[in-house]
């Protein structure tokens, strides 16, 4: 039995009739951008998150950079970011013209360690950008307390965490300002690139709406220097089909994670942990292995797909190495040790047991 790391056909096959109907509805309408499907999805996703506004954009990276630009963060400003994350988090800061200032992760949750943030704050710091990594929420109360003391904005990267819960509230609930990605492999995935900004700050939402559409509210009247970053009608229609199933699919992911945690217990692995205040979305199931290469090779031989999230610490990548940041020993260790096992709402119990057997062999 082969177990692929990710099967993007399965969500479509479960929802084929509804997705085909939704796409057909758009095609029959002849309206492909900035239309009723996008407006409806924005209202539905804002309500799901518990926020007042959702602005659909081209992708999750754009969502982050448009938030930063909407807050007036730019050249010469600093934004605190996790040292361990996907490079898109840092790239959004750079795209806004600001400087990413990395902080080591919490060894238990992989997310930004609040205990290390204040040491990184300078007079040029404008925002803290925690990432809800792998589906586990960052410790928002601790981050917000620091931000409030220093007069900083908090911008959340929830690309991997739609439906995750922090202290009883879904990620995206007021007073958060959050960037989401709907890349096809995400918990809530479109059929191509898509993303959203979720906030209860009306002025920021309006600024992002302006920036995403060439800086224009009225065609050919451009108030500011904007960009073109829009979710199209087909992606919005598909997301509307999937959104009502997000909690159910996340619950299926959680059952897979529980099976892994029970079956892999006692092996020579560092298993993921969940904080008492968090409900994990389980976008990824990430273990740490001292000899990751050997484990990955053994799983490949057994027909089990794996990926590494992420094999190079961002500060060590060619894109950011010239800044001379670091060292960040924990982020570098994670880059050497992390391995993602297959997880998803369509993984069967037999497939999960196959992975467990292959890891333990």
């Amino acid at each position: 039995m082969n177990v692929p790391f990710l099967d993007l056909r399965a969500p479509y096959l479960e929802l084929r009739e509804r997705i085909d109907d939704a796409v057909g509805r758009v095609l029959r309408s002849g309206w492909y951008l900035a239309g009723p499907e996008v407006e409806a999805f924005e209202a539905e996703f804002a309500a799901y998150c518990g926020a007042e506004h959702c602005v659909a954009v081209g992708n999750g990276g754009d969502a982050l950079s448009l938030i930063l630009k909407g807050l007036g963060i730019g050249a010469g400003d600093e934004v605190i970011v996790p040292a361990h994350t996907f490079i898109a988090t840092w790239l959004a800061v750079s795209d806004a013209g600001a400087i990413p200032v990395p902080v080591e992760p919490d060894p238990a949750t992989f997310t930004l360690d609040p205990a290390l943030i204040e040491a990184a704050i300078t007079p040029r710091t404008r925002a803290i950008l925690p990432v809800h990594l792998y589906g586990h929420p960052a410790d928002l109360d601790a981050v917000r307390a620091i931000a409030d003391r220093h007069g900083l904005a908090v911008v959340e990267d929830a690309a991997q965490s739609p439906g995750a819960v922090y202290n009883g509230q879904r990620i995206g609930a007021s007073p958060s300002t959050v960037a989401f990605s709907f890349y096809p492999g995400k918990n809530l995935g479109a059929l191509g690139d898509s993303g959203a900004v979720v906030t209860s700050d009306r002025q920021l939402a309006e600024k992002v709406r302006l920036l995403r559409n060439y800086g224009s509210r009225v065609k050919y009247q451009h108030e500011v220097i904007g960009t073109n970053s829009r979710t199209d009608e087909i992606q919005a229609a598909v997301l509307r089909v999937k959104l009502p199933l997000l909690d159910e699919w996340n619950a299926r992911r959680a059952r897979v994670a529980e099976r892994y945690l029970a079956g892999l217990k006692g092996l020579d692995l560092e298993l993921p942990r969940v904080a008492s205040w968090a409900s994990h979305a389980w976008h990824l199931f990430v273990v740490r292995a001292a000899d990751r290469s050997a484990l990955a090779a053994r799983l490949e031989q057994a027909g089990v797909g794996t990926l590494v999230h992420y094999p190079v610490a961002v500060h060590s990548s060619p894109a950011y190495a010239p800044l001379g940041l670091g060292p960040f020993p924990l982020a570098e260790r994670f880059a050497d040790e992390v391995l993602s096992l297959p997880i998803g709402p369509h993984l069967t119990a037999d497939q999960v047991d196959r992975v467990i057997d292959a890891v333990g062999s």
Side-chain angles (χ1 to χ4, degrees):
M1 178 192 298
N2 289 332
V3 184
F5 179 76
L6 179 65
D7 180 3
L8 289 179
R9 297 169 302 171
Y12 170 69
L13 292 175
E14 180 177 340
L15 301 173
R16 177 164 56 185
E17 185 175 339
R18 280 177 275 179
I19 289 175
D20 288 353
D21 285 348
V23 172
R25 182 173 69 241
V26 174
L27 296 179
R28 290 189 297 272
S29 78
W31 194 340
Y32 302 128
L33 285 171
E37 298 290 346
V38 170
E39 290 180 3
F41 172 71
E42 288 177 334
E44 290 160 9
F45 192 61
Y48 172 84
C49 292
E52 294 182 17
H53 306 281
C54 169
V55 185
V57 298
N59 55 68
D62 283 358
L64 278 176
S65 74
L66 289 171
I67 291 170
L68 295 171
K69 292 173 183 177
L71 292 171
I73 294 172
D77 295 330
E78 293 178 350
V79 177
I80 291 174
V81 296
H84 179 65
T85 185
F86 181 48
I87 196 171
T89 308
W90 291 40
L91 291 175
V93 175
S94 299
D95 183 64
I99 301 164
V101 176
V103 166
E104 286 268 54
D106 178 337
T109 65
F110 295 108
T111 62
L112 187 65
D113 189 341
L116 304 178
I117 291 175
E118 285 193 285
I121 294 174
T122 77
R124 295 196 295 175
T125 305
R126 292 285 309 282
I128 305 171
L129 206 170
V131 179
H132 306 303
L133 195 67
Y134 303 151
H136 193 295
D139 189 351
L140 291 175
D141 285 350
V143 171
R144 288 170 182 156
I146 295 166
D148 288 346
R149 283 198 296 273
H150 295 271
L152 306 176
V154 176
V155 177
E156 302 167 37
D157 181 343
Q160 300 181 357
S161 301
V165 174
Y166 175 81
N167 270 343
Q169 284 193 315
R170 282 200 182 109
I171 296 300
S174 182
S176 293
T177 295
V178 188
F180 288 92
S181 168
F182 306 125
Y183 180 79
K186 303 298 188 185
N187 294 40
L188 179 61
L191 300 183
D193 271 328
S194 179
V197 172
V198 171
T199 182
S200 289
D201 183 333
R202 183 186 60 80
Q203 289 186 331
L204 178 59
E206 288 305 309
K207 189 66 178 292
V208 172
R209 290 186 192 279
L210 184 66
L211 290 169
R212 74 171 175 181
N213 189 43
Y214 303 104
S216 173
R217 302 175 208 267
V218 178
K219 196 167 186 177
Y220 303 130
Q221 296 181 23
H222 305 279
E223 303 171 36
V224 297
I225 297 174
T227 190
N228 175 19
S229 182
R230 297 175 293 190
T231 291
D232 66 65
E233 288 285 285
I234 289 177
Q235 305 309 331
V238 171
L239 290 168
R240 293 184 68 202
V241 171
K242 291 184 173 183
L243 179 58
L245 293 168
L246 178 56
D247 287 343
E248 178 189 331
W249 284 8
N250 280 353
R252 292 189 210 169
R253 288 174 177 272
R255 288 194 289 272
V256 172
E258 289 166 5
R259 200 174 187 96
Y260 275 147
L261 290 170
L264 298 173
K265 188 176 181 181
L267 299 180
D268 189 20
L269 291 174
E270 183 77 25
L271 298 176
R273 288 174 275 176
V274 182
S276 60
W277 35 259
S279 177
H280 205 306
W282 293 111
H283 174 61
L284 296 171
F285 189 93
V286 180
V287 301
R288 291 170 56 193
D291 193 348
R292 178 183 64 205
S293 296
L295 175 58
R298 188 164 74 248
L299 291 172
E300 182 181 13
Q301 189 173 14
V304 174
T306 63
L307 284 177
V308 177
H309 298 87
Y310 300 97
V312 179
V314 183
H315 70 279
S316 300
S317 68
Y320 285 101
L323 296 183
L325 301 170
F328 296 100
L330 190 53
E332 292 160 16
R333 185 175 176 185
F334 283 177
D336 290 337
E337 294 181 351
V338 295
L339 186 69
S340 298
L341 304 181
I343 193 168
H346 299 91
L347 210 61
T348 68
D350 286 344
Q351 287 177 312
V352 177
D353 289 343
R354 174 63 174 162
V355 176
I356 292 170
D357 290 343
V359 173
S361 64

